[in-house]
Amino acid sequence: MAKLLGLRCRECEAEYELQATHVCEMCFGPLDVVFDYAALKKKVTRDRIAQGPASMWRYRDLLPIEDATPVVTLGEGFTPLVKADRLGAELGLRNLYLKNDSMNPTNSFKDRVVSVAISWARANGFETIACASTGNLANAVAAYAARAGLECFVFIPVDLEPAKIVSISVFDPNVVAVRGNYDEVNRLCSQLVESTPWAFCNINIRPFYAEGSKTLTFETVEQLGWKLPDEIIIPIASGCQFVRHRQAVRELMELGLVREDRVPAFTGAQALGCAPVYNAFNSDTPERVLPVRPDTIARSIAIGNPSDGMYVNRIALETGGVVEAVSEEEIVAAMRLLARTEGIFTETAGGVTIGVLAKLARAGRWKGDEVVVAYVTGHGLKTADVLAKVDGHARRVEIEPTLKSFREKVNI
Amino acid sequence: MGRRRLKLIFGPAMVKEPVIYQLGKQFEIVTNIRRADVTRDQGWVLLEITGEPEELDRGVEYLESRGVKVEPAEGDLVE
Ligand SMILES: Cc1ncc(COP(=O)(O)O)c(C=O)c1O
Ligand SMILES: [Zn+2]
């Protein structure tokens, strides 16, 4: 029995057959996958999930891939949920948890969405996988396309940082470096989608791709002993994963996998240098998200015109969450704080998330016993250069190779 | 023939201007509005345009020359 019923427009509810399309023909609203929850309810149990693999595919029943379809996997997901007692002590939080998604195969949460997208594309006859990206997405797409043995085209801006180009190129995709500003690259992509027979992971097969994000929240709840946290802090670029995390909680409740009926507060994190969702959240019209021109070191989440921005604000307001933003200095300070207290090295996007967590904690948002989870979505080595530039490390001395010099310079 | 799904974003100076009318009149372009949210001082319109690709390029250039911000309907695609 097929568990997928089709695609449905989030705005006008027009229904479509399952296919590689992401925009409603009627109203240009986004399309979402529709599951047969009545059938899933009879089948999905905590035990069934526990018997699945130690990867995000233990939630396969809730992903848009039918049972008989082979999946393209590198073991993504089921990343550690760590209780952060030392960071929590600094912030006055006794039940702080970090979902460390930098532990994924290509070191960002994008492996979840791309694993689903490429599995779907291969099963549906696509021979070429493509994406336009400034980093994490291209990294994941190139790796999973190699794993699947599919042709791969990656479009990048011509001035992308050399370190990122290396970690994409090693998987040997076709790399198309586009000379042009962001808007021009963007425009080219929307025309390419219309004129090639390719699966663009984050564009025409977006409804399937997006579903992969839900597993981050499923795992978090399972790792908390099937309990919902009080609040979740999520970085926002397009807002795609934020919306899916809300859906994940809805599904856990609908399927009876959690017993509580209190929805966690969903809180979003942005960099002030690219904060269209935060700006709207703090205006009189939170659902009117106006585009901005990004200028921030948090490049992996620098999306000036986010597709799901208005839905993020709707969900934040509905659940009692907020959208907060931090400065460049706060991002770097948060990266250091997390590393110093918990031994986790995150990229700038993680700095944004932890920065917002710290800012809200210091402003007195929590009493102290709430269960708060922050999603750390990418690894620090991806953006190590931002730390190299700021000389903030005072605990360094240089000595001669003698005990005398050591005793002079180091107090033990 | 080509087609594009666009989001036009208008600032205070442009809200009252009939640019979509002009677009259809000055170019060989068929315009079709799908959704809109326009207030006194700002707004957006989701618009489908169809025509020869070069004509569509010229039409988009025209809109931008008039001070309208033109983006893909679904927002940023480079992630
Ligand atoms: C590390 C990291 N965190 C968070 C995000 C935000 O995801 P979304 O675009 O779904 O809001 C991205 C990707 O864009 C990312 O690369
Ligand atoms: Zn619709």
Side-chain angles (χ1 to χ4, degrees):
Chain A
M1 249 279 297
K3 67 186 170 190
L4 303 174
L5 301 178
L7 300 174
R8 185 190 294 139
C9 174
R10 204 182 295 168
E11 286 295 324
C12 76
E13 304 194 344
E15 298 198 344
Y16 298 85
E17 301 208 333
L18 293 168
Q19 57 188 295
T21 185
H22 66 301
V23 176
C24 173
E25 279 300 322
M26 318 292 289
C27 77
F28 291 0
L31 300 181
D32 296 322
V33 174
V34 185
F35 286 84
D36 182 353
Y37 290 118
L40 287 174
K41 207 166 177 168
K42 293 189 193 121
K43 182 162 146 188
V44 184
T45 61
R46 292 181 186 178
D47 276 351
R48 184 174 156 90
I49 292 164
Q51 281 158 27
S55 80
M56 70 169 206
W57 289 98
R58 64 207 277 111
Y59 300 100
R60 178 181 185 128
D61 288 334
L62 300 170
L63 293 172
I65 305 292
E66 297 294 353
D67 288 356
T69 304
V71 298
V72 182
T73 177
L74 288 164
E76 53 290 327
F78 219 52
T79 52
L81 180 78
V82 296
K83 185 148 190 285
D85 286 333
R86 279 171 42 77
L87 178 58
E90 295 227 0
L91 301 177
L93 286 167
R94 287 175 288 279
N95 292 297
L96 174 63
Y97 292 84
L98 305 170
K99 180 67 171 161
N100 187 1
D101 239 29
S102 67
M103 299 288 282
N104 272 309
T106 74
N107 303 106
S108 90
F109 102 101
K110 290 285 181 196
D111 292 329
R112 297 177 184 272
V113 280
V114 169
S115 174
V116 174
I118 295 191
S119 298
W120 189 88
R122 187 173 69 177
N124 285 273
F126 285 90
E127 287 165 4
T128 302
I129 305 297
C131 74
S133 168
T134 52
N136 289 340
L137 175 61
N139 205 169
V141 168
Y144 282 80
R147 176 81 174 151
L150 293 171
E151 233 0 87
C152 179
F153 275 83
V154 173
F155 296 82
I156 57 168
V158 77
D159 61 351
L160 193 62
E161 302 99 301
K164 286 191 186 163
I165 296 178
V166 170
S167 56
I168 294 165
S169 304
V170 69
F171 301 109
D172 207 24
N174 300 286
V175 175
V176 184
V178 185
R179 286 189 218 108
N181 65 30
Y182 186 90
D183 289 342
E184 290 165 329
V185 181
N186 218 22
R187 188 166 302 163
L188 171 67
C189 291
S190 69
Q191 292 171 29
L192 281 168
V193 176
E194 296 278 326
S195 52
T196 61
W198 298 345
F200 275 80
C201 282
N202 61 323
I203 310 178
N204 55 337
I205 61 170
R206 191 175 189 84
F208 307 95
Y209 162 95
E211 291 292 308
S213 325
K214 294 188 302 191
T215 56
L216 216 162
T217 291
F218 293 152
E219 291 170 15
T220 297
V221 173
E222 181 183 354
Q223 288 165 321
L224 286 172
W226 294 107
K227 292 219 162 49
L228 294 169
D230 293 305
E231 184 146 356
I232 309 177
I233 322 281
I234 303 160
I236 299 164
S238 68
C240 178
Q241 61 157 317
F242 192 98
V243 171
R244 294 292 112 194
H245 295 316
R246 173 71 187 92
Q247 179 64 14
V249 167
R250 193 173 287 119
E251 291 178 356
L252 290 172
M253 288 177 163
E254 166 94 25
L255 299 175
L257 293 167
V258 291
R259 306 230 161 79
E260 300 130 295
D261 53 8
R262 179 191 38 84
V263 176
F266 284 81
T267 282
Q270 293 209 294
L272 280 167
C274 180
V277 184
Y278 162 81
N279 294 342
F281 186 84
N282 289 295
S283 75
D284 296 335
T285 50
E287 295 205 5
R288 201 168 279 141
V289 177
L290 299 175
V292 301
R293 198 157 278 287
D295 180 16
T296 171
I297 53 170
R299 289 187 61 169
S300 62
I301 55 169
I303 292 202
N305 183 19
S307 57
D308 283 311
M310 65 179 260
Y311 304 108
V312 168
N313 282 342
R314 193 177 291 172
I315 290 165
L317 290 168
E318 173 231 336
T319 60
V322 294
V323 179
E324 186 53 84
V326 285
S327 68
E328 305 289 285
E329 296 73 33
E330 288 172 307
I331 295 169
V332 173
M335 290 166 69
R336 289 190 192 285
L337 172 67
L338 178 64
R340 174 169 64 73
T341 55
E342 297 296 341
I344 295 174
F345 184 21
T346 186
E347 66 151 284
T348 46
V352 168
T353 308
I354 300 302
V356 161
L357 168 78
K359 189 167 183 168
L360 292 173
R362 287 170 184 149
R365 178 164 175 80
W366 298 289
K367 294 197 185 77
D369 287 323
E370 296 88 341
V371 176
V372 177
V373 182
Y375 289 171
V376 175
T377 50
H379 198 281
L381 287 174
K382 288 174 178 277
T383 59
D385 49 322
V386 306
L387 297 182
K389 274 185 216 136
V390 205
D391 184 28
H393 199 224
R395 291 156 66 102
R396 176 194 152 103
V397 290
E398 263 187 54
I399 63 168
E400 300 310 319
T402 61
L403 271 178
K404 181 167 172 287
S405 174
F406 173 71
R407 289 203 176 106
E408 275 167 18
K409 297 270 177 61
V410 183
N411 256 328
I412 51 169
Chain B
M1 288 288 269
R3 97 175 163 150
R4 291 189 201 153
R5 292 183 286 230
L6 305 176
K7 184 172 194 175
L8 311 187
I9 299 159
F10 300 85
M14 289 310 297
V15 164
K16 292 205 214 83
E17 297 291 312
V19 282
I20 295 172
Y21 168 77
Q22 291 293 350
L23 182 68
K25 204 166 164 211
Q26 292 185 23
F27 302 88
E28 287 286 314
I29 289 179
V30 179
T31 62
N32 190 339
I33 296 177
R34 297 312 178 87
R35 219 159 11 115
D37 175 9
V38 182
T39 61
R40 199 155 39 85
D41 57 357
Q42 63 184 28
W44 54 260
V45 173
L46 292 178
L47 182 75
E48 180 178 66
I49 56 175
T50 42
E52 292 305 327
E54 297 78 49
E55 195 69 357
L56 297 181
D57 286 341
R58 278 194 287 274
V60 170
E61 257 170 53
Y62 164 77
L63 290 170
E64 290 179 328
S65 77
R66 296 297 310 273
V68 179
K69 191 153 175 43
V70 184
E71 312 239 341
E74 59 271 65
D76 286 353
L77 306 173
V78 185
E79 288 194 353

